[in-house]
Amino acid sequence: MKLLIVNPNTSSAMTDGIAQAAREVAAAGTQIVAVNPSFGPLSIEGQYDEAFAAAGVAEQVRLACSGAEGQPDGVVIACFGDPGLDAAREATDAPVLGIAEAAFHAASMLATGFSVVTTMTRTCIIAEHLVHKYGFERRCRGIHGTDIPVLALESAGPEMLAQIEAASREALRRDRSGAIVLGCAGMAALTRELQQRLGVPVIDGVSAAVKFAESLAALGLRTSKHGDYATPLPKRYTGWAQRFGW
């Protein structure tokens, strides 16, 4: 089985870290192929960044599915905003999972309520929109920003871990939640330590999405091509996007 992991930002260091997190939980025999777009922001910390990142996700899924090696068995979009998720589902019939959607589902199976602890406070509203889109309003009890820049997570040390731990403890207390969802793919390496310290389930969306993608692929389930996830209509694209038309 081959899983394509798309880091929607263009930080190769973060792509490597995400790939490592995915390989740590992947089943024996699952090949992890981690990529990032050829253009776009180094980090995604707002709506403007996300607009370019979504196009970068579409680019990478299109390239993977049209390459000589054939399309992957599953796709994971490794950014908590799930940028380009619907476009990617149009571009392939392989299961496509965003890490926010996967993490919300996992948390709801482990606790009656969960809190999200993320990076920049300005992105909390983006996560809130996803909570509503995916129908988790009754399970998600709060979304908390730490104002840790995304790229700072590439070299997270004890002080940053303590900051995220403190925010998580406050979220558990204030929201009366039973689980923490980490709101950034760059936090994946901190999951186990935080879970030990907090004593509650701590969900990393990268790991959850990898296992869900493996399960869907193993069950022989594919993305529906009936309706709005149908293959894009044939048309010519212009400018830098001309090679991505159908």
Side-chain angles (χ1 to χ4, degrees):
M1 181 184 301
K2 180 172 71 174
L3 296 185
L4 177 71
I5 315 295
V6 183
N7 169 22
N9 73 36
T10 55
S11 167
S12 58
M14 187 161 288
T15 301
D16 291 342
I18 290 168
Q20 179 61 31
R23 292 187 179 107
E24 286 179 359
V25 299
T30 296
Q31 178 188 6
I32 299 296
V33 178
V35 298
N36 53 252
S38 64
F39 62 89
L42 273 174
S43 63
I44 301 165
E45 296 171 318
Q47 306 279 9
Y48 188 82
D49 295 338
E50 193 167 295
F52 287 93
V57 168
E59 172 205 41
Q60 290 302 310
V61 174
R62 181 76 169 104
L63 289 174
C65 293
S66 60
E69 297 182 3
Q71 71 173 12
D73 299 293
V75 178
V76 171
I77 299 175
C79 169
F80 203 75
D82 292 354
L85 177 64
D86 292 324
R89 286 176 174 166
E90 283 190 19
T92 178
D93 67 352
V96 181
L97 286 85
I99 64 170
E101 185 176 19
F104 295 160
H105 277 286
S108 70
M109 298 174 190
L110 301 171
T112 56
F114 63 86
S115 298
V116 176
V117 174
T118 188
T119 51
M120 305 301 288
T121 300
R122 64 177 291 167
T123 66
C124 288
I125 191 64
I126 298 175
E128 184 177 323
H129 287 164
L130 291 180
V131 166
H132 287 269
K133 175 182 177 180
Y134 299 142
F136 284 96
E137 301 95 325
R138 295 185 179 182
R139 294 297 188 95
C140 181
R141 295 180 179 169
I143 302 171
H144 305 265
T146 58
D147 286 321
I148 295 172
V150 169
L151 294 183
L153 292 167
E154 294 176 357
S155 56
E159 291 184 2
M160 192 174 298
L161 177 63
Q163 184 178 350
I164 297 171
E165 179 187 355
S168 299
R169 289 190 184 280
E170 175 62 16
L172 292 168
R173 184 195 65 80
R174 183 190 305 176
D175 302 340
R176 295 184 296 169
S177 294
I180 292 292
V181 167
L182 297 178
C184 181
M187 293 180 173
L190 308 177
T191 306
R192 292 180 183 176
E193 180 65 24
L194 285 169
Q195 184 161 277
Q196 290 178 354
R197 294 188 182 193
L198 297 171
V200 300
V202 176
I203 296 93
D204 155 46
V206 174
S207 301
V210 165
K211 300 312 290 185
F212 286 154
E214 285 182 330
S215 297
L216 291 172
L219 290 168
L221 296 172
R222 315 293 290 179
T223 297
S224 175
K225 294 292 130 180
H226 179 77
D228 55 333
Y229 284 153
T231 301
L233 296 173
K235 66 184 62 176
R236 185 171 65 90
Y237 278 43
T238 61
W240 63 264
Q242 60 184 337
R243 60 178 174 150
F244 300 115
W246 292 76

